Amino acid sequence: MENKRFDTLKVHAGYRSADHNNAVSVPIYQTTAFSLGDSYRADKLFAFEDEDPIYTRLSNPTVDVLEQRVSALHGASGAIALASGMAAVSYALLNAAGKGGRILTTARLYGGTVDSFDQIFEEFAIGVDIVEDADDLAEFEAKIRPDTKAIFVETLTNPYGTIPDLEALAALAHKYGLVFITDNTVATPYLLNPIEYGCDVVVYSATKALTGHGNVIAGIVVESGKFDYAAGKHPQFEKPLWFLRDAAGDKRSILDIFPDIPFTGRLRAIHLNYLGAALSPFDAYLVLLGLETLSERVSKQVSNARIIRKFLENNEHVAWLRHPETADSPYATLAAKYFPKGAGALVSFGFKGTEEERRRFLAATEVFGYQANIGDARSLIINPAQTTHVELTPHHRELAELTDDTIRLSLGLEDPEDLISDLKQAFEKAYAIS
Ligand SMILES: *Cc1c(COP(=O)(O)O)cnc(C)c1O
């Protein structure tokens, strides 16, 4: 599958039917363990000299196809699939930080990610520094400390669709020897490949548009293969370890064993191995199935988002509308640069009215589903300040500029005329009694 383009890779990469009894659809290897054969083969498997699967927590042929496919979609050196997007985010940040390291980030993050810094990273003695003005490169630079190990941002944020200048942040990270990690969940690899702009590690909640059918919880971490983990800033990759010893009993480092995939290799050998958030083969199969239509789904969702945005832009019930593609958005230039195919399928607006009217509006939609998810084939509506982002402290809420009146739409695949009619009738019902 070399030299093939995105839409070809998304249905073919990482799989040859001839290697799987000529099965055309990727088989689900629903097995815990794999026969070790003879004890000589077992020696090789356990010394990392043979890559065949041993035990499904560590690797599995169905999951492996997904990892290779997503890696190919990014032109990356490797990927690792995990049981959730939260596992992908937390494992990637723990891996980069190492012992006592710090992560530099912003408050414009998934609510669970922000709260995990206080609830988990603090217990692990990993410091997190938050840049208050996420558009200010100078503040990022000023907050880099000697023990900072990585910069982490979301490429297209939820709910407001702000966009960081990825190339500038990659240059800054690399100037200080830091790993540049992005969460590309909202964008999906169809709209943006962060590796093309210097990103070293990309994480996904595959639960969202990557799979796109609202039927799975899954996460993926992808690595570019270009970052130099031997430069001294990340000693966890260079340290010789007993459990990685060779047949002669000599200790080896992560870099010795996984020279092309040190980041995901270490995630597999340590985080997946011992923290254990393994993706099940059946769920990997569902993600693969969703991936086959990624471009078709996301382009239709972007088109629906544009139609709905235009409807809301001239609407008397809308106090404000934030989307990177509106002419007056401060992110219009970055959107044109990084998102030529469209800046995603989320549209957020301020509901004009009382809290009671807002509650009635949320209760009145019939096509839009009221639920905590995004990127589904079905259109969704939610009030993020009171639900998905409820964990944010008042300070983090202020930094994320999250307001109580925010309504977030995640556009699905329905007919846009039905979506507009649904919003119209919901607005009518919201104000009917007052
Ligand atoms: C949903 C989401 C996550 C968490 O993913 P899960 O699959 O729900 O664990 C992380 N980052 C972003 C941007 C998300 O939208």
Side-chain angles (χ1 to χ4, degrees):
M1 280 298 132
E2 263 166 49
N3 304 320
K4 296 288 188 292
R5 293 174 180 79
F6 191 91
D7 283 351
T8 308
L9 294 172
K10 82 188 194 319
V11 290
H12 290 287
Y15 185 71
R16 282 182 59 230
S17 56
D19 300 337
H20 302 267
N21 291 310
N22 301 310
V24 174
S25 173
V26 178
I28 301 169
Y29 283 83
Q30 194 66 32
T31 179
T32 302
F34 298 81
S35 175
L36 298 173
D38 60 45
S39 64
Y40 295 101
R41 183 167 172 273
D43 288 349
K44 285 192 175 156
L45 285 166
F46 283 86
F48 298 87
E49 278 160 24
D50 185 326
E51 288 181 358
D52 282 350
I54 300 171
Y55 189 73
T56 281
R57 173 165 21 88
L58 282 171
S59 70
N60 172 283
T62 311
V63 180
D64 185 60
V65 175
L66 172 62
E67 292 168 344
Q68 289 192 40
R69 191 159 294 178
V70 173
S71 178
L73 290 177
H74 292 79
S77 70
I80 183 167
L82 298 162
S84 70
M86 275 319 302
V89 172
S90 56
Y91 285 13
L93 296 181
L94 290 170
N95 197 27
K99 189 175 175 182
R102 304 187 75 81
I103 304 291
L104 181 59
T105 186
T106 81
R108 290 177 187 164
L109 298 176
Y110 179 69
T113 302
V114 176
D115 203 38
S116 74
F117 297 151
D118 290 338
Q119 310 310 334
I120 294 185
F121 285 71
E122 204 179 277
E123 280 191 12
F124 280 49
I126 290 170
V128 177
D129 299 301
I130 306 266
V131 171
E132 307 222 328
D133 179 356
D135 298 321
D136 183 3
L137 203 67
E139 192 188 337
F140 271 95
E141 186 158 18
K143 288 201 163 146
I144 295 173
R145 301 206 209 166
D147 49 355
T148 303
K149 305 293 181 183
I151 294 180
F152 175 63
V153 296
E154 292 184 8
T155 56
L156 181 62
T157 65
N158 160 14
Y160 297 131
T162 69
I163 300 169
D165 191 345
L166 297 172
E167 264 181 340
L169 284 170
L172 179 68
H174 297 154
K175 181 176 159 191
Y176 290 89
L178 313 180
V179 189
F180 183 38
I181 306 175
T182 56
D183 181 335
N184 199 39
T185 299
V186 175
T188 80
Y190 169 68
L191 295 176
L192 173 76
N193 178 1
I195 289 176
E196 282 175 16
Y197 296 101
C199 184
D200 306 301
V201 174
V202 187
V203 305
Y204 289 97
S205 166
T207 309
K208 314 291 171 53
L210 202 75
T211 305
H213 293 83
N215 55 3
V216 75
I217 298 286
I220 300 179
V221 180
V222 185
E223 80 176 296
S224 72
K226 293 181 188 137
F227 190 84
D228 181 9
Y229 293 93
K233 188 97 194 163
H234 302 87
Q236 65 270 37
F237 293 90
E238 298 182 86
K239 198 164 117 188
L241 300 167
W242 171 244
F243 92 104
L244 301 178
R245 69 188 176 280
D246 63 17
D250 289 327
K251 292 184 194 174
R252 289 177 297 180
S253 71
I254 290 288
L255 277 164
D256 290 335
I257 297 190
F258 308 108
D260 303 324
I261 49 161
F263 198 87
T264 51
R266 186 169 190 270
L267 272 186
R268 191 182 304 280
I270 297 181
H271 302 79
L272 178 57
N273 197 6
Y274 301 135
L275 296 174
L279 185 66
S280 83
F282 180 67
D283 287 347
Y285 170 81
L286 290 178
V287 180
L288 281 164
L289 210 55
L291 262 184
E292 291 187 359
T293 54
L294 177 67
S295 312
E296 291 76 11
R297 283 184 289 103
V298 174
S299 55
K300 163 89 177 184
Q301 289 175 330
V302 164
S303 148
N304 274 352
R306 285 179 173 152
I307 294 166
I308 298 303
R309 195 190 85 220
K310 292 208 173 92
F311 162 71
L312 292 169
E313 260 170 8
N314 306 309
N315 196 294
E316 57 182 320
H317 307 308
V318 172
W320 50 263
L321 185 132
R322 290 179 66 172
H323 192 276
E325 287 181 358
T326 56
D328 60 350
S329 166
Y331 301 98
T333 311
L334 291 169
K337 174 176 176 174
Y338 292 114
F339 293 98
K341 285 188 274 199
L346 297 183
V347 176
S348 289
F349 65 95
F351 178 89
K352 207 186 268 181
T354 64
E355 186 193 325
E356 197 45 45
E357 287 163 342
R358 194 172 71 236
R359 286 181 187 274
R360 280 209 297 272
F361 177 68
L362 286 165
T365 61
E366 288 163 7
V367 181
F368 281 88
Y370 183 42
Q371 52 194 271
N373 191 14
I374 53 171
D376 196 333
R378 290 149 283 248
S379 289
L380 312 176
I381 187 168
I382 206 162
N383 46 338
Q386 296 83 19
T387 58
T388 52
H389 290 62
V390 78
E391 302 104 324
L392 264 61
T393 62
H395 178 58
H396 287 154
R397 261 183 77 139
E398 202 184 304
L399 294 182
E401 298 173 62
L402 186 66
T403 57
D404 277 340
D405 63 345
T406 302
I407 299 284
R408 181 191 76 199
L409 304 177
S410 169
L411 279 308
L413 304 177
E414 300 93 337
D415 189 304
E417 289 307 318
D418 289 334
L419 294 172
I420 289 177
S421 313
D422 192 41
L423 292 175
K424 275 185 183 161
Q425 65 83 28
F427 278 127
E428 269 170 35
K429 282 187 191 146
Y431 302 109
I433 305 164
S434 9

